[in-house]
Amino acid sequence: MRVLIIGHGKMGQAIEKLAQSRGHEIVGIIDDLSAVKLNDFNGSKADVAIEFTQPEAAVNNIVHCLKNGIPIISGTTGWLDQFNEVEQACAEYNGTFLYASNFSLGVNLFFK
């Protein structure tokens, strides 16, 4: 699978290592210094985007991916006041989007 990583902090670095160890190709890493490079990616270049950034960047990153045919997973918190905008973009572009505030197995078992 061709993976685009958006956000290269601790979580992005961990995802990069895990994805590579499982044989996935990292097609791009977008961080604060290379955010403009996100415009270089669309669904023909990435099978999925995994986004762990900051609340002020998350919505633009998510909408960009939806608009450009890249299914996206986001673990960024603090932007849910704009969830309707993301939901509308997902419907408008027939996109694929998964969000969770925590991807830890233990926490999700606790939630259940």
Side-chain angles (χ1 to χ4, degrees):
M1 184 176 322
R2 298 170 302 160
V3 179
L4 173 62
I5 296 173
I6 306 172
H8 203 235
K10 288 181 186 178
M11 198 62 185
Q13 291 172 31
I15 290 166
E16 177 186 14
K17 289 177 186 171
L18 183 61
Q20 288 174 328
S21 76
R22 294 186 176 188
H24 300 292
E25 176 187 2
I26 305 302
V27 295
I29 296 173
I30 307 297
D31 60 18
D32 290 344
L33 301 176
S34 64
V36 74
K37 289 184 182 179
L38 184 57
N39 293 326
D40 295 339
F41 290 93
N42 59 43
S44 69
K45 294 182 179 181
D47 297 316
V48 67
I50 303 175
E51 198 267 355
F52 280 91
T53 61
Q54 300 296 318
E56 55 276 359
V59 173
N60 286 336
N61 294 335
I62 294 164
V63 170
H64 171 86
C65 289
L66 294 171
K67 186 184 285 189
N68 288 281
I70 305 170
I72 183 163
I73 299 166
S74 178
T76 301
T77 59
W79 61 268
L80 290 181
D81 58 327
Q82 296 176 281
F83 188 80
N84 287 343
E85 181 181 338
V86 169
E87 192 174 45
Q88 289 172 354
C90 195
E92 180 180 347
Y93 300 112
N94 196 30
T96 303
F97 174 62
L98 174 68
Y99 167 76
S101 61
N102 194 310
F103 282 90
S104 137
L105 179 59
V107 168
N108 280 284
L109 288 172
F110 181 72
F111 286 158
K112 185 149 176 92

